[in-house]
Amino acid sequence: MGILGFGKKQLIGKKIAILATFGVEQVELTSPKKALIKEGAIVHVISPHKGIKGGKIKAWNLVKWGDSIKVDVSLSDADVNDYDGLHLPGGVINPDILRMNDDAVDFVRRFFDSQKPVSSICHGPWMLIEAGVANGTTLTSWPSLKTDLRNAGANWVNEKVVRDGSLVTSRGPQDLPAFNKQIVELFSKAGATRGVLRRAA
């Protein structure tokens, strides 16, 4: 198996940030996080609300409130230079709160400025608009964001997973199996992808 390359964890030595807050779609955080950890990555949930309720954020589970998720690092203590990549889960509430937080928006923007890989799913791409990095990208999202993203200069397509340079996006929970495979590949090449220019619109 070792000779053929099977069973090798692809993300050993990689450190990935997940930016989230209250109302994050639970499975869009927990499923990618599990997939990344399974491949050897260190994954930190980062939130501007670490100090509330014992350092946990309440997730949204499809149609009702879900689990409380532990926050590993407060946004105020998080440094983009410490991470190889960023994941932005969705849920309607989560990115709507985060896009009103200047520090959260700046955190996202600095990953793009550093040409580090970013993944986003569902309503997560709202943060790409707010950070001013959607223009010129080809991506997907939850369908209700289509007009917002096109108005921001993105080429929105209705596909399970879209990879454009160092950005991978997906539509929602139904696409997580395909999305998780793509983000493992994306983050495994962190460093190599940093020099890839995004396609122009």
Side-chain angles (χ1 to χ4, degrees), residues 178-190:
F179 179 68
N180 287 344
K181 289 180 182 178
Q182 280 294 313
I183 67 172
V184 166
E185 181 181 343
L186 174 74
F187 293 132
S188 72
K189 296 176 180 177

Side-chain angles (χ1 to χ4, degrees), residues 29-43:
L29 187 156
T30 58
S31 179
K33 180 182 178 182
K34 183 178 179 181
L36 295 173
I37 290 174
K38 184 178 179 182
E39 290 296 328
I42 296 170
V43 181

Side-chain angles (χ1 to χ4, degrees), residues 139-155:
L139 47 67
T140 193
S141 69
W142 192 255
S144 63
L145 272 65
K146 173 175 64 175
T147 300
D148 292 345
L149 286 161
R150 286 178 172 170
N151 286 342
N155 174 32

Side-chain angles (χ1 to χ4, degrees), residues 149-160:
L149 286 161
R150 286 178 172 170
N151 286 342
N155 174 32
W156 187 91
V157 294
N158 184 22
E159 297 178 14
K160 284 184 180 181

Side-chain angles (χ1 to χ4, degrees), residues 1-12 38-40 184 188:
M1 290 178 63
I3 295 174
L4 296 175
F6 296 120
K8 181 180 178 181
K9 293 189 175 183
Q10 300 180 59
L11 299 178
I12 290 176
K38 184 178 179 182
E39 290 296 328
V184 166
S188 72

Side-chain angles (χ1 to χ4, degrees), residues 5-184:
F6 296 120
K8 181 180 178 181
K9 293 189 175 183
Q10 300 180 59
L11 299 178
I12 290 176
K14 306 294 184 183
K15 195 173 179 183
I16 309 300
I18 298 179
L19 181 63
T21 191
F22 298 101
V24 62
E25 188 65 59
Q26 183 169 308
V27 71
E28 292 174 0
L29 187 156
T30 58
S31 179
K33 180 182 178 182
K34 183 178 179 181
L36 295 173
I37 290 174
K38 184 178 179 182
E39 290 296 328
I42 296 170
V43 181
H44 287 167
V45 175
I46 296 172
S47 177
H49 302 112
K50 185 182 179 185
I52 301 175
K53 295 186 178 179
K56 294 183 178 181
I57 52 175
K58 192 73 170 176
W60 184 257
N61 188 10
L62 300 179
V63 296
K64 60 184 179 180
W65 287 105
D67 296 338
S68 292
I69 296 175
K70 180 180 179 293
V71 175
D72 300 300
V73 180
S74 174
L75 179 60
S76 60
D77 296 327
D79 187 340
V80 170
N81 294 322
D82 291 338
Y83 297 95
D84 296 293
L86 172 68
H87 172 57
L88 298 169
V92 178
I93 302 169
N94 164 65
D96 200 41
I97 293 174
L98 289 175
R99 65 181 175 162
M100 297 297 290
N101 184 307
D102 290 341
D103 291 335
V105 173
D106 184 61
F107 188 72
V108 174
R109 186 184 299 115
R110 283 187 287 142
F111 274 88
F112 282 85
D113 289 344
S114 302
Q115 294 186 296
K116 293 186 178 184
V118 175
S119 62
S120 188
I121 188 170
C122 193
H123 289 76
W126 258 340
M127 290 298 289
L128 306 182
I129 296 173
E130 204 65 38
V133 297
N135 185 38
T137 62
T138 294
L139 47 67
T140 193
S141 69
W142 192 255
S144 63
L145 272 65
K146 173 175 64 175
T147 300
D148 292 345
L149 286 161
R150 286 178 172 170
N151 286 342
N155 174 32
W156 187 91
V157 294
N158 184 22
E159 297 178 14
K160 284 184 180 181
V161 184
V162 177
R163 180 167 179 175
D164 188 351
S166 56
L167 174 66
V168 167
T169 51
S170 194
R171 297 176 300 189
Q174 73 278 10
D175 298 323
L176 277 166
F179 179 68
N180 287 344
K181 289 180 182 178
Q182 280 294 313
I183 67 172
V184 166

